[in-house]
Amino acid sequence: MPELPEVETTRRGIDAIIKGQALRRLVVREPRMRWPIPADLPALLAGRPVLATDRRGKYLLLRFEHGVQIVHLGMSGSLRRVGLDEAPRKHDHVDWVFDHAIFRLHDPRRFGAVLWHPADTGPVERHPLLIGLGIEPFDPRFDGKWLHDQFRGKRVAIKQALLAGHAVVGVGNIYASESLFRAGIDPRLPAGKLSGPRCERLAQAVRATLTDALASGGSTLRDYVGASGEPGAYFTIHAAVYERAGQPCRVCGTPIRRIVQGQRATYFCPHCQKR
Ligand SMILES: [Zn+2]
């Protein structure tokens, strides 16, 4: 599943190419995504310049003068730059056609979304999909004190509290396991029991883990933009615990354990990560 680093890598990839450029055509081949793509969207956007690109959580935002296009890659989506005469294939649902580039949304499972937020309905941050999102991990306000406040009184396991996205966005299943390993925290610890200093370590670990992922995502970026939905370079090169059950911890050699929390797999080192 594309996570925050993949979406941010995608954003950086398209930003340099489309910012300030007029969108010539939006081609919708399949409007039945997670929510239907509004039928009038191609007419609304034809000829309009993209003023800026942004990201909030895993939502990609294309800002136009008269509104914001909200794009989500769902479970299996990718946004890829294709050749100007490249024929669409199966599951290629939407094209953004510019003078010198075409970006194509490919999404076999169609859990992704392409929505429109008109400027006259207020800031896009107030959109129902965005308003409940936690703070961004690279926001300067995100630190140990922030996490400590968010987790106060919470009995849910720290791994699940991170994954929920209310305290901080973008820490998906892989990055939750990796961040907790880096911070030396047992994923089963109730979130409310985490001390201030350990919250600080966790905040730093979250940022460092996502920074590493962004660095490896950015280095593979050429004409292919963003996530394939398959495990990317990050896992194969850097994962300390994720999908390494039974293999020796890279720090202490203890076999990595796999458990299931809230129906999601969690990986951790029972020696390095303390309760
Ligand atoms: Zn270990």
Side-chain angles (χ1 to χ4, degrees):
M1 185 187 335
E3 299 209 34
L4 184 145
E6 287 85 352
V7 178
E8 178 62 17
T9 299
T10 298
R11 188 197 70 76
R12 291 177 186 181
I14 65 174
D15 183 78
I17 300 164
I18 70 173
K19 196 154 105 181
Q21 300 291 314
L23 176 64
R24 291 303 167 201
R25 276 181 304 136
L26 182 77
V27 180
V28 179
R29 289 183 207 88
E30 174 55 88
R32 292 170 301 171
M33 303 289 286
R34 182 162 185 183
W35 298 281
I37 299 177
D40 59 348
L41 203 50
L44 265 173
L45 296 181
R48 299 294 196 122
V50 177
L51 303 182
T53 68
D54 262 315
R55 180 191 53 71
R56 184 74 178 93
K58 297 200 283 184
Y59 294 92
L60 192 61
L61 307 177
L62 304 183
R63 294 185 185 272
F64 295 83
E65 196 180 15
H66 58 321
V68 182
Q69 203 171 15
I70 304 172
V71 180
H72 194 281
L73 299 177
M75 302 290 285
S76 58
S78 64
L79 194 58
R80 200 167 67 94
R81 185 176 183 179
V82 296
L84 293 179
D85 52 4
E86 195 172 323
R89 282 174 283 192
K90 200 176 179 191
H91 308 305
D92 284 347
H93 304 313
V94 182
D95 281 0
W96 285 257
V97 181
F98 297 87
D99 284 336
H100 305 292
I102 297 177
F103 293 94
R104 187 161 284 168
L105 180 68
H106 178 86
D107 187 358
R109 295 177 67 180
R110 286 194 279 119
F111 282 116
V114 177
L115 299 169
W116 177 246
H117 180 82
D120 59 16
T121 54
V124 71
E125 289 73 17
R126 292 284 175 77
H127 189 280
L129 289 172
L130 307 186
I131 197 163
L133 295 178
I135 199 171
E136 288 285 331
F138 295 106
D139 188 308
R141 290 171 298 167
F142 172 64
D143 60 9
K145 187 182 175 313
W146 173 274
L147 275 184
H148 202 231
D149 289 347
Q150 298 291 313
F151 290 156
R152 185 161 294 145
K154 291 231 157 71
R155 289 188 197 173
V156 65
I158 181 67
K159 156 78 188 314
Q160 285 161 277
L162 274 179
L163 209 55
H166 303 308
V168 55
V169 294
V171 188
N173 202 40
I174 301 137
Y175 302 111
S177 279
E178 292 293 315
S179 299
L180 287 166
F181 174 79
R182 202 185 280 243
I185 296 166
D186 187 312
R188 297 165 294 185
L189 185 75
K193 292 241 167 103
L194 206 62
S195 69
R198 297 187 89 196
C199 281
E200 188 57 50
R201 273 214 294 285
L202 181 56
Q204 288 173 15
V206 163
R207 258 205 284 262
T209 303
L210 292 173
T211 300
D212 282 358
L214 276 172
S216 65
S219 67
T220 58
L221 190 73
R222 290 268 187 274
D223 59 339
Y224 181 82
V225 177
S228 62
E230 299 300 315
Y234 178 75
F235 318 109
T236 49
I237 300 168
H238 298 287
V241 290
Y242 190 78
E243 289 193 338
R244 293 195 65 242
Q247 296 177 48
C249 169
R250 297 195 202 281
V251 174
C252 74
T254 303
I256 299 300
R257 269 190 70 188
R258 178 190 189 274
I259 56 172
V260 174
Q261 295 178 289
Q263 297 165 342
R264 307 295 302 274
T266 300
Y267 299 85
F268 70 105
C269 172
H271 178 76
C272 293
Q273 295 176 247
K274 313 280 192 218
R275 286 187 80 100

